[in-house]
Amino acid sequence: MNELLAQKLRCLPEKPGVYIMRDIKGKIIYVGKAIVLKNRVRQYFQSNKNHSPKVISMVNHIADFETIITGSELEALILECNLIKKHHPKYNISLKDDKSYPYIKVTVNEVYPRLFMTHRVLNDGARYFGPYANAGAAKESMRLMQRTFCLRTCKNMNVSRPCLEYHIKRCLAPCAGKVGEKEYKKMIDTVIMFLEGKSEAVEKRLKRQMEKAAEVLDFERAALLRDQLVAVKKTVEKQKMFLAEKEDKDIIGLSRSDIGLCVQVFYVRQGKMLGRSHYLLENASDEADEAVLTAFFKQYYECAASCPDSILLPFALKEGALLEKWLARTYDKKVKLLVPQRGMKRDLVKFAEENAQKYLSDLQNRAEEKEQDLKRAMVQLGEYLGLEKAPRRMECFDISHIQGSETVASMVVFEDGKAKKSDYRRFKLIATEGKPDDFLSMQEVTQRRYVKEKWSLPDLIIIDGGKGQLSAALKIIRGAGHFSVPVVGLAKQFEYIFKEGESDPVILPRGSGALYLVQRIRDEAHRFAITYHRKLRNRRNLVSILDHIEGIGPKRRKALWDFFGSLEAIKAASCEQLAVVPAMTKAAANAVYNFFAAQKAAH
């Protein structure tokens, strides 16, 4: 432990708050809360015999930490959730790909609201429903609402006549004044009730409106309401009744296996199960179930669009009372955390746990099947190419340039059928700069890989190109004394494979695992090469433009590139942002800002 950490540990406060651990680069790697900061933080730096491997690894990477004092443990919990959501620390338990879960957004902040899917929840006055772990289910719900209630889907309301959606009876055309604001709002209210799970109330409301329309002889509107009622009833028929009580509940089950941890959430609204979602957790294998479920609970309900009246859990949480207070403050209503011991509710929790276990089993089976498919593909490829053994490690090369400028090469590596990105290499080629020559370029990159570098040889070398590129590469590889490694060329058209000394290509069967594997390797080599080429080209364009700005020399030009990363970012920067770049002065920042401002004005 360094002197800085030791000094900070001696000065820790005996108050509730949040502690933030940072690595040597200053990056946040863990965020936690404590009732007494002094006691909790010191535990990490005491004897590690009782620590889990994850905690030991984390402590070894801590270079500094800071604490934030709060007024209560509840305030510490709220701050902890916000910091984890913002920084995604490496060692915190986290929902896997939590940013990918979609929401259904209802823009009630607009005069004529619309529905669409989004991955961001903003404080903009709109209503959000979700998150949905199953994006397909979310799309289906949204499609049903839009078609049943003929809601608008377009963004533009400034039109003179309705579009095709109106004429095929999929939109009421509020943009052209075909429906009143009051009538449209009634439909939006019904949609919101349905998304909230209040299907019975929706049915009663639609039936009442239909009967009222029929009484005043508005049969066209009555027919529209009848169709909406039928659609809602069909949807409700698919939902299974779970509880006699008309309650809103979330039912949570947790399961773990060798492949990971999964939490299953069932949504019961008004006594009916509306759906379920599963969530995978990362950095949780060494943690106890209670710690895992607590971490999931905080992250899930911190970003959930709504919360039920009660939540059924498989076991009690130490922070249960605190979490109830947090939910009450977050959702402005009382929420009960329950651990049922017997009866129907306990069966539902077990049902959620069984579904979580099944999901993990299915995931493991799919992973094993994929592993077997990759092995079969490697064996197939070895057989088609006449190799003595399946090519376990393969290296593929590709060249990228535009008329010889910024010529680069990529080398991607696949082991056991999977990309091994830690072994990827990229090369800025010199011999052919300014004059396009793919053959000479391939000779240069293979010279640098197989002659200058002393790495172990792969089981197969793939050259992205036809006979010419293959011959150029073989001249270098065989010239270096590497006669045992097979080298093939992959033609850009039809994926024909050319072998050394053979004029006719090997044609892999369409739909075979071997062909799919070769295509993946080729595409990855192309992607890696063209990404590097574009980066160099953008840097060159940046250099040529900045050369025209007075006071910007090579040092400041490099500093601007390193700080912003792209020309577009520099163009969009303010004077204040440009001035904080190392090596820049206020005068230089003004010069850059004024240069691009003048360009914008000219266009």
Side-chain angles (χ1 to χ4, degrees), residues 41 54 63 187 271 287 294 317 337 413 433 461:
V41 177
K54 186 181 84 170
M187 289 193 298
E287 302 284 352
T294 299
L317 302 179
L337 304 188
V413 179
E433 183 59 34
I461 298 173

Side-chain angles (χ1 to χ4, degrees), residues 236-254:
V236 172
E237 284 172 3
K238 299 176 184 178
Q239 299 167 352
K240 182 178 177 182
M241 178 71 78
F242 270 94
L243 301 174
E245 315 109 60
K246 305 291 177 141
E247 295 180 342
D248 293 351
K249 298 182 184 299
D250 281 354
I251 302 164
I252 297 179
L254 171 68

Side-chain angles (χ1 to χ4, degrees), residues 150-434:
C150 300
L151 304 176
R152 76 178 180 100
T153 57
C154 56
K155 296 180 182 179
N156 184 20
M157 289 286 291
N158 186 23
V159 296
S160 57
R161 59 181 181 175
C163 65
L164 179 63
E165 292 287 305
Y166 170 75
H167 296 290
I168 61 175
K169 300 187 183 303
R170 287 192 179 178
C171 179
L172 296 176
C175 56
K178 300 293 184 180
V179 61
E181 182 181 339
K182 187 175 180 181
E183 183 181 349
Y184 194 91
K185 186 179 184 304
K186 287 181 181 179
M187 289 193 298
I188 288 295
D189 291 341
T190 305
V191 168
I192 290 173
M193 289 172 66
F194 188 83
L195 291 173
E196 289 175 338
K198 300 173 182 176
S199 54
E200 288 187 5
V202 170
E203 289 182 43
K204 290 179 181 178
R205 182 173 185 163
L206 289 174
K207 187 176 181 180
R208 187 169 60 250
Q209 291 176 353
M210 179 183 68
E211 292 171 347
K212 188 175 180 181
E215 286 175 4
V216 297
L217 305 181
D218 189 353
F219 298 117
E220 186 176 349
R221 174 165 169 72
L224 175 64
L225 290 165
R226 178 203 60 200
D227 294 341
Q228 292 174 356
L229 180 60
V230 170
V232 169
K233 282 184 175 180
K234 284 183 178 179
T235 304
V236 172
E237 284 172 3
K238 299 176 184 178
Q239 299 167 352
K240 182 178 177 182
M241 178 71 78
F242 270 94
L243 301 174
E245 315 109 60
K246 305 291 177 141
E247 295 180 342
D248 293 351
K249 298 182 184 299
D250 281 354
I251 302 164
I252 297 179
L254 171 68
S255 183
R256 67 168 72 216
S257 70
D258 293 338
I259 202 169
L261 287 96
C262 176
V263 173
Q264 189 90 200
V265 183
F266 285 96
Y267 312 109
V268 176
R269 300 294 182 266
Q270 298 293 299
K272 296 183 180 69
M273 177 180 160
L274 296 187
R276 63 173 183 172
S277 297
H278 57 263
Y279 299 89
L280 298 176
L281 299 170
E282 293 182 329
N283 296 328
S285 57
D286 296 331
E287 302 284 352
D289 287 354
E290 196 270 340
V292 170
L293 193 57
T294 299
F296 166 81
F297 195 98
K298 294 175 185 176
Q299 293 184 58
Y300 178 78
Y301 287 105
E302 199 274 334
C303 65
S306 62
C307 184
D309 301 322
S310 60
I311 301 168
L312 306 188
L313 302 173
F315 46 81
L317 302 179
K318 293 177 184 177
E319 298 182 358
L322 177 65
L323 292 172
E324 284 185 342
K325 291 180 183 178
W326 172 61
L327 290 174
R329 180 166 172 172
T330 303
Y331 294 97
D332 196 25
K333 69 175 183 177
K334 187 176 181 180
V335 182
K336 293 183 290 185
L337 304 188
L338 305 175
V339 184
Q341 301 299 317
R342 62 184 69 84
M344 175 74 74
K345 293 178 181 178
R346 178 58 191 162
D347 292 340
L348 291 174
V349 173
K350 285 185 177 179
F351 184 45
E353 291 177 321
E354 290 171 3
N355 276 268
Q357 182 59 52
K358 183 180 184 301
Y359 179 79
L360 289 176
S361 299
D362 292 344
L363 201 63
Q364 187 161 5
N365 291 337
R366 288 197 296 270
E368 290 173 355
E369 288 175 7
K370 186 176 180 181
E371 196 77 23
Q372 292 301 318
D373 289 343
L374 290 175
K375 288 181 180 179
R376 283 193 291 268
M378 288 189 296
V379 171
Q380 277 184 2
L381 183 59
E383 291 173 350
Y384 287 132
L385 296 180
L387 306 181
E388 296 180 0
K389 61 178 182 179
R392 182 172 174 271
R393 179 184 171 97
M394 291 175 276
E395 296 178 0
C396 181
F397 295 87
D398 187 30
I399 307 296
S400 181
H401 61 85
I402 294 180
Q403 296 297 315
S405 68
E406 305 296 353
T407 305
V408 301
S410 68
M411 182 191 84
V412 300
V413 179
F414 273 57
E415 278 193 3
D416 296 323
K418 292 174 283 192
K420 189 178 181 182
K421 294 191 176 183
S422 60
D423 285 3
Y424 282 18
R425 295 292 182 271
R426 60 189 188 185
F427 306 84
K428 189 176 187 309
L429 304 183
I430 302 170
T432 56
E433 183 59 34

